[in-house]
Amino acid sequence: MPDILIADDHPLFRDALQRAVLAALPQAQVRSAESVHGLYALIEQYPDADLLLLDLHMPGARGYSALVHIRGQYPGLPIIVVSGHEEAQVARRALAHGAAAYIPKSTAGDDIVHAIRAVLDGDVWLPPQLVGGRAELKPAEADIAARIAALTPQQFRVLTMIAEGLLNKQIAWELGVSEATVKAHMTAIMRKLGVNNRTQVALAASQLAVEPGAMQPLPDEGENE
């Protein structure tokens, strides 16, 4: 039985995706998560899953960051990106970052079924209105994507929390670790990203936003680690 993973924080759309999966693969076992952190727990439990349907915007994800990191950690897992964005450029960037398909949330159920079957057959799928042209990633975006892909899952969690503006003590509480552990993760993240402080970490992550450069103001903890 194929194992299919769904990561989406909207219950109604998550249910719609599940129905589409079962229409395409009646024998499938469907597992779902409401956040990127919950998704990692699922992937660790089902490392041989056959397909992931990933919402582009959900808790723990900033733009293409979750797509990039999961592709780096699990290169054999096909990923279909689902999103409320209808722009062709957004879809093409998702494909350039390794997605096998891009499904706008306005897509009809029958087309979602077709997309799932196409990806499982090894094809790349876009809705007809988005077909044509291709996205070339800027060198800086491609470079930061490769660096983020190399982070460990726990380092990626810390990265996303930094980008959300959380302080070290807040990150420590969320992860159930000490502040010293968070600082150790920060040091490793900065080394892997080639930056020197938490603001530069967030700026680097913002290059994978759907609208590059968008970043929340960060609190100043008076520290570089």
Side-chain angles (χ1 to χ4, degrees), residues 21 64 70 75 96 122-123 145 168-169 193:
V21 168
Y64 301 95
I70 293 169
D123 296 330
N168 284 358
K169 63 182 179 182
L193 297 188

Side-chain angles (χ1 to χ4, degrees), residues 74-206:
Y74 302 93
L77 175 62
I79 301 175
I80 294 176
V81 167
V82 296
S83 173
H85 287 278
E86 304 276 347
E87 302 88 347
Q89 183 68 9
V90 175
R92 291 168 192 154
R93 279 179 72 201
L95 297 189
H97 279 301
Y102 185 91
I103 298 176
K105 290 193 173 183
S106 61
T107 302
D110 288 347
D111 287 335
I112 297 176
V113 171
H114 180 66
I116 291 168
R117 289 173 174 162
V119 170
L120 290 174
D121 285 340
D123 296 330
V124 172
W125 187 92
L126 282 175
Q129 71 271 22
L130 300 184
V131 172
R134 58 194 298 263
E136 291 285 348
L137 295 178
K138 295 179 181 179
E141 182 176 349
D143 177 67
I144 201 62
R147 291 174 182 270
I148 288 176
L151 298 176
T152 68
Q154 192 75 327
Q155 289 166 359
F156 180 73
R157 292 184 182 101
V158 173
L159 170 70
T160 60
M161 291 178 183
I162 293 167
E164 290 167 1
L166 272 64
L167 299 169
N168 284 358
K169 63 182 179 182
Q170 294 171 308
I171 296 172
W173 186 86
E174 289 282 349
L175 297 180
V177 300
S178 68
E179 286 191 56
T181 297
V182 173
K183 289 181 180 181
H185 284 314
M186 280 286 297
T187 299
I189 291 166
M190 288 188 293
R191 183 180 68 251
K192 289 183 178 181
L193 297 188
V195 300
N196 299 314
N197 57 53
R198 67 191 297 116
T199 298
Q200 291 175 351
V201 168
L203 283 170
S206 74

